């Protein structure tokens, strides 16, 4: 019997911690969004491959979700293509500073703020819709940006942006290292 009472309590504690950490993580993202960063090749490569793995897992999820959610593939593909274009725009708006041994970059503050706002809207919409569906019995919208497929599209935008930005940044760092003579093949 005590175990049955502990499980809901543990779930509530987990949700409370999650709800406290989410605003903190969004605040940290906003605070450091326009900061000048050192382009570490290993970290950028890790970010690129991590984004590719995340995209692969996302494709698997969309494949399964496509059986139940109308338009999941179309929304996800459109969102991902939009994210790729946004990644190119983000790279074009990034300011680069070549140091004597390393490259520094500063992402565009307004683009990062817009993407962070999109994350906030996505999470809030999901929470509100989940609450309404579970408490009031309100069905989720079947079409539109607030549908399940629309929320998948927002996730796809973020994945497409992160993947394209990491790819272009990786190419820039490699080109910088070759130009400066720090290419791995010359060591």
């Amino acid at each position: 019997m005590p175990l049955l009472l502990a499980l809901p309590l543990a779930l509530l504690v987990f949700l409370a911690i999650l709800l406290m950490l989410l605003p903190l993580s969004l605040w940290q993202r906003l605070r450091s969004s326009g900061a000048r960063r050192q382009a570490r090749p290993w970290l950028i490569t890790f970010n690129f491959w991590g984004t590719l793995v995340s995209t692969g897992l996302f494709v698997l999820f969309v494949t399964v979700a496509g059986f139940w959610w109308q338009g999941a593939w179309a929304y996800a593909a459109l969102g991902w293509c939009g994210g790729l274009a946004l990644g190119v725009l983000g790279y074009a708006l990034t300011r680069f500073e070549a140091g004597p041994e390393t490259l520094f970059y500063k992402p565009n503050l307004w683009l990062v703020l817009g993407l962070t706002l999109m994350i906030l809207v996505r999470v809030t919409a999901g929470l509100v819709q989940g609450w309404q569906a579970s408490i009031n019995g309100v069905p989720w919208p079947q079409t539109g940006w607030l549908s399940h497929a629309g929320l998948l599209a927002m996730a796809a935008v973020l994945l497409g942006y992160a993947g394209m930005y990491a790819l272009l940044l990786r190419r820039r760092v490699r080109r910088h290292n070759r130009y400066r003579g720090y290419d791995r093949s010359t060591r």
Side-chain angles (χ1 to χ4, degrees):
M1 185 71 166
L3 182 61
L4 292 176
L5 294 175
L7 287 176
L9 182 62
L11 182 63
L12 286 175
V13 168
F14 174 73
L15 288 175
I17 290 171
L18 185 68
L19 288 176
M20 287 187 326
L21 290 179
L22 182 66
L24 285 174
S25 68
L26 287 175
W27 173 252
Q28 181 63 23
R29 178 181 290 272
L30 288 174
R31 210 176 64 120
S32 66
S33 59
R36 180 177 175 242
R37 301 171 187 174
Q38 182 179 354
R40 293 182 173 91
W42 69 269
L43 187 59
I44 291 169
T45 300
F46 180 77
N47 190 16
F48 171 70
W49 287 106
T51 305
L52 281 181
V53 168
S54 296
T55 302
L57 292 173
F58 181 74
V59 166
L60 287 174
F61 180 79
V62 171
T63 301
V64 172
F67 291 113
W68 290 282
W69 297 339
Q70 176 185 351
W73 267 108
Y75 277 74
L78 187 63
W80 193 70
C81 289
L84 292 177
L86 207 56
V88 171
L89 176 66
Y91 177 78
L93 295 175
T94 299
R95 290 190 293 150
F96 292 96
E97 300 171 21
E101 292 186 13
T102 187
L103 181 69
F104 293 94
Y105 67 100
K106 187 174 180 181
N108 183 277
L109 175 67
W110 293 106
L111 185 61
V112 173
L113 288 176
L115 290 172
T116 305
L117 180 64
M118 190 177 87
I119 292 169
L120 186 63
V121 166
R122 182 180 184 276
V123 168
T124 304
L127 287 174
V128 167
Q129 286 182 327
W131 179 265
Q132 287 180 346
S134 65
I135 300 299
N136 300 331
V138 176
W140 284 61
Q142 296 300 313
T143 58
W145 73 276
L146 283 176
S147 67
H148 289 296
L151 294 177
L152 281 178
M154 287 186 190
V157 166
L158 294 171
L159 273 174
Y161 168 79
M164 182 56 77
Y165 191 80
L167 173 69
L168 294 173
L169 190 59
R170 185 171 182 247
R171 285 181 53 208
R172 176 76 177 244
V173 168
R174 284 183 161 190
R175 190 172 47 226
H176 176 267
N177 287 346
R178 260 188 300 242
Y179 175 72
R180 297 282 187 199
Y182 298 116
D183 194 18
R184 274 191 259 170
S185 62
T186 61
R187 287 185 189 175

